Amino acid sequence: MTRLPVADRPAVREAARRLVADERRSVAFVAVLHIAAAVAGLAAPWLLGSIVDSVTAGGGADTVDRLALGIVVAVIAQGLLNRFANYAGHRLGERAIARLREEFVWRTLGLPVAVVERAGIGDLATRSSVDVTAVGTAVRDVLPIVVVSVTHLTLLFGAVFLMAPVLGLVCLVGLPSILVAARWYLRRAGPAYLAEAAATAELTDTVTATAEGARTVEALRLTEARIGHGTERIATVWAARRRTLALRSVIFPIAESSYALPVGVVLLVGGPLIAHGVVSIGDVAAAALYLQQAIDPMDRLLQFMELAQRGLASYARVLGVSQVPTEESGGSEVPEGTRIEVRGATFSYGGGRDVLHGIDLDVEPGERLAIVGPSGAGKSTLARLLAGIEQPRDGHVRVGGVAVTDIDPAERRRGIALITQEHHVFLGTLRDNLAFAAPDATDPQMVSALAAVGADWYDDLPDGLDTQLGGTARELTAADAQQLALARLILADPHTLILDEATAALDPTTARRTERALAAVLSGRTVIAVAHRLNTAHDADRVAVLEDGRIVEFGPHDALVAAGGPYAALWHSWHA
Ligand SMILES: Nc1ncnc2c1ncn2[C@@H]1O[C@H](COP(=O)(O)OP(=O)(O)OP(=O)(O)O)[C@@H](O)[C@H]1O
Ligand SMILES: [Mg+2]
């Protein structure tokens, strides 16, 4: 399995910068609101300090009342400003997340099929759920917290410095230990969180594979093995999480003890300073209150570091998907005609041993070619090459004189359809399920496509084309679903059809009926059918026999039977 790429630090930084830059005005607006709220928050301690000083100086109740009223006004203003700032911040965050999700969906849909198959569903599923959500949380919650906390801290420390510079210096006592701890943490947290995310993806993969293959697991008594496999993955996740937990268990205690330090030191040093007349009691009281207020933003900054690390690791994985070249960036050539020409095509999966060796093959427009051969001969692989899903390592596959992988992807998908036993019924109406093959198809066209493939179950549907399919709604049998897939094909109207055991999942009678129904529809198109039911080969114009990645026999059915070679042997044993 080849994992999807993960973006590196500079790429993540650049993308994050762009994300913020695109919302420059909103970010500035949110920041201004938060600064205003923080300034309003500064008034209360300062006013309280003034009350202390005025009482010490023997001031009257009048002054105290006026100052107290000021505190009330400041607190209300701070509350209101905070509310609007948070509201604007969340709107900004949600907008950014929505864009992120949309981009991710588009990139994912543009991924070449072969890349998705190699990466495994778990990796992509984890990225699109866990990782996108983690980035979303980071953008929506972390960004405002940073803005708020940094401005808040700057203002608080600035206020202490303005009031009494000596006390300001004393405040800085707690900072060095936090900075050292933060540096230590940040160095290690990135890789640790990436490892955690990768381990989670592996676990998802394993669990999904076991659930999907539940029958195979039972039939082959693989339960113990699969449990063992899952347990290993859980152990890996557990170890990865312990690692990040260990990092947190170092940073948090250090940071938290650092917060309390300045308050203690200010009070401790404040006494002698007051005695020597350097500062007033009010100054020390206000400074202590400011420092007390600073604990909250400092703590939130720390939490943010934690969330930001998670978010950055996830963002690297989300961005990694867009580093895969999409199909759309593949080619833009327009083929002339539909003649298929394969020359010396050699192919191996992921650099392994060759499974196709120098295949030569010509298919004329409108011709029917059957490909037969033993299991593992490379029939499906050849079908994937012809459809442009895989590219030959050596040699070429051309359609209309153009390498099939260089054809504009939209054009290719319109012209060449590969249909296998794997098909999917999407949640939605029958009409939705047919329409994405041909968005402009009319209802009568859809109904006649269903009739053409012998889907007589259509007549029993309560709401016709509006019947809900998939999930807890009406479930189609494998045979029905296969017919639906074939009907889609008819609507898509491609010039070349590649059928890879397309009717193999149907019971023999249904298969025969569907094939006969299809035959009428297939006329005029090039059809390449991989088949193990040799009546398909019998009806084809020519037959290619594939063995061990090589075409060992090629010609019309009758000629091959007369030749008495491998095909004749297959035919006789199948016929008996
Ligand atoms: N995704 C893959 N990764 C690695 N090897 C693969 C992959 N798919 C197929 N192979 C190998 O390539 C060879 C040809 O497989 P292919 O599926 O093309 O055979 P086939 O003729 O279609 O067989 P069957 O009749 O069982 O469908 C086999 O040895 C198979 O193990
Ligand atoms: Mg196959």
Side-chain angles (χ1 to χ4, degrees):
M1 213 175 308
T2 325
R3 290 254 166 251
L4 293 166
V6 172
D8 58 6
R9 269 294 156 114
V12 173
R13 223 172 290 141
E14 170 58 23
R17 195 195 57 74
R18 234 181 1 220
L19 204 68
V20 175
D22 286 348
E23 295 280 359
R24 225 171 345 203
R25 300 179 72 180
S26 305
V27 172
F29 180 62
V30 173
V32 166
L33 281 177
H34 276 301
I35 291 171
V39 170
L42 289 177
W46 178 74
L47 290 169
L48 204 66
S50 307
I51 292 180
V52 171
D53 279 343
S54 111
V55 171
T56 337
D62 267 13
T63 331
V64 175
D65 281 352
R66 239 184 308 116
L67 290 171
L69 189 68
I71 292 179
V72 172
V73 172
V75 167
I76 291 175
Q78 187 193 9
L80 285 175
L81 285 166
N82 260 334
R83 187 227 167 255
F84 286 115
N86 284 334
Y87 180 72
H90 274 243
R91 278 180 61 104
L92 164 66
E94 290 294 347
R95 217 167 32 236
I97 296 171
R99 225 180 42 211
L100 208 72
R101 281 193 198 279
E102 276 170 13
E103 273 171 26
F104 184 81
V105 168
W106 276 115
R107 295 304 302 208
T108 308
L109 291 178
L111 287 178
V113 178
V115 171
V116 176
E117 285 180 355
R118 264 171 226 144
I121 294 301
D123 197 13
L124 204 56
T126 311
R127 287 182 198 221
S128 62
S129 53
V130 178
D131 287 323
V132 170
T133 309
V135 178
T137 314
V139 171
R140 190 187 48 217
D141 302 338
V142 173
L143 217 60
I145 289 178
V146 188
V147 177
V148 182
S149 304
V150 170
T151 39
H152 210 161
L153 285 175
T154 315
L155 290 172
L156 284 171
F157 280 102
V160 178
F161 266 102
L162 274 180
M163 211 173 53
V166 199
L167 292 178
L169 287 177
V170 172
C171 289
L172 296 182
V173 169
L175 283 185
S177 58
I178 297 186
L179 291 181
V180 171
R183 246 180 89 85
W184 177 89
Y185 173 78
L186 287 176
R187 281 238 182 97
R188 287 160 183 76
Y193 280 110
L194 271 181
E196 191 184 299
T200 310
E202 295 255 356
L203 178 62
T204 313
D205 251 345
T206 305
V207 174
T208 316
T210 307
E212 278 179 354
R215 285 197 194 149
T216 316
V217 169
E218 286 208 338
L220 300 180
R221 297 179 199 283
L222 294 174
T223 315
E224 291 299 317
R226 292 307 296 178
I227 291 177
H229 202 59
T231 311
E232 266 171 41
R233 292 285 173 278
I234 291 173
T236 316
V237 171
W238 190 70
R241 296 221 170 136
R242 267 184 70 100
R243 167 102 185 104
T244 54
L245 182 66
L247 291 174
R248 291 196 291 275
S249 69
V250 170
I251 183 81
F252 282 107
I254 293 184
E256 274 172 25
S257 48
S258 305
Y259 303 152
L261 213 57
V263 184
V265 175
V266 160
L267 290 178
L268 208 68
V269 179
L273 287 176
I274 296 169
H276 286 86
V278 183
V279 294
S280 71
I281 300 182
D283 288 342
V284 174
L289 281 173
Y290 281 141
L291 291 178
Q292 190 66 36
Q293 276 195 11
I295 291 181
D296 198 37
M298 277 200 281
D299 197 41
R300 270 189 296 172
L301 261 187
L302 191 72
Q303 306 274 353
F304 138 79
M305 265 201 336
E306 149 82 8
L307 279 174
Q309 284 306 314
R310 260 178 211 278
L312 282 177
S314 287
Y315 201 22
R317 289 165 51 79
V318 170
L319 288 174
V321 173
S322 49
Q323 289 181 344
V324 181
T326 54
E327 290 217 303
E328 315 312 330
S329 55
S332 54
E333 308 240 15
V334 179
E336 268 181 47
T338 60
R339 200 173 170 281
I340 298 173
E341 177 197 275
V342 182
R343 286 288 174 277
T346 298
F347 180 82
S348 67
Y349 283 99
R353 72 189 169 83
D354 287 345
V355 297
L356 290 180
H357 313 269
I359 300 280
D360 291 319
L361 187 67
D362 288 285
V363 189
E364 299 299 330
E367 188 180 356
R368 299 199 168 195
L369 175 76
I371 302 176
V372 300
S375 181
K379 304 183 296 291
S380 297
T381 309
L382 180 57
R384 289 164 67 86
L385 248 61
L386 290 169
I389 292 175
E390 305 279 7
Q391 205 166 1
R393 178 172 69 73
D394 206 17
H396 64 243
V397 176
R398 292 201 179 127
V399 174
V402 178
V404 67
T405 44
D406 286 345
I407 300 175
D408 169 60
E411 180 80 24
R412 192 182 71 220
R413 280 191 288 259
R414 215 176 5 255
I416 307 170
L418 169 67
I419 182 150
T420 65
Q421 286 174 44
E422 283 174 46
H423 41 73
H424 189 74
V425 177
F426 291 88
L427 269 180
T429 62
L430 176 57
R431 184 183 285 104
D432 296 337
N433 266 283
L434 289 168
F436 66 83
D440 301 327
T442 62
D443 284 10
Q445 281 172 331
M446 289 185 182
V447 175
S448 72
L450 287 166
V453 296
D456 37 22
W457 45 267
Y458 169 74
D459 299 327
D460 302 333
L461 294 182
D463 305 314
L465 289 172
D466 291 314
T467 308
Q468 287 285 338
L469 300 182
T472 52
R474 193 197 153 88
E475 190 141 9
L476 294 183
T477 64
D480 295 354
Q482 186 66 331
Q483 288 174 332
L484 173 62
L486 293 171
R488 247 178 226 154
L489 199 63
I490 291 169
L491 291 170
D493 192 25
H495 59 69
T496 300
L497 271 155
I498 304 167
L499 306 167
D500 186 0
E501 310 269 17
T503 54
L506 308 180
D507 66 84
T509 323
T510 317
R512 196 76 51 87
R513 211 179 55 231
T514 308
E515 272 162 20
R516 219 170 297 133
L518 259 180
V521 181
L522 298 183
S523 68
R525 302 173 212 267
T526 310
V527 180
I528 299 166
V530 174
H532 67 268
R533 265 194 277 275
L534 293 193
N535 55 316
T536 307
H538 175 264
D539 297 342
D541 298 321
R542 286 188 299 170
V543 182
V545 182
L546 205 61
E547 264 175 29
D548 255 344
R550 290 190 177 81
I551 294 181
V552 293
E553 261 193 318
F554 192 67
H557 168 84
D558 294 336
L560 293 187
V561 172
Y567 180 77
L570 271 177
W571 174 254
H572 291 308
S573 71
W574 184 77
H575 222 58

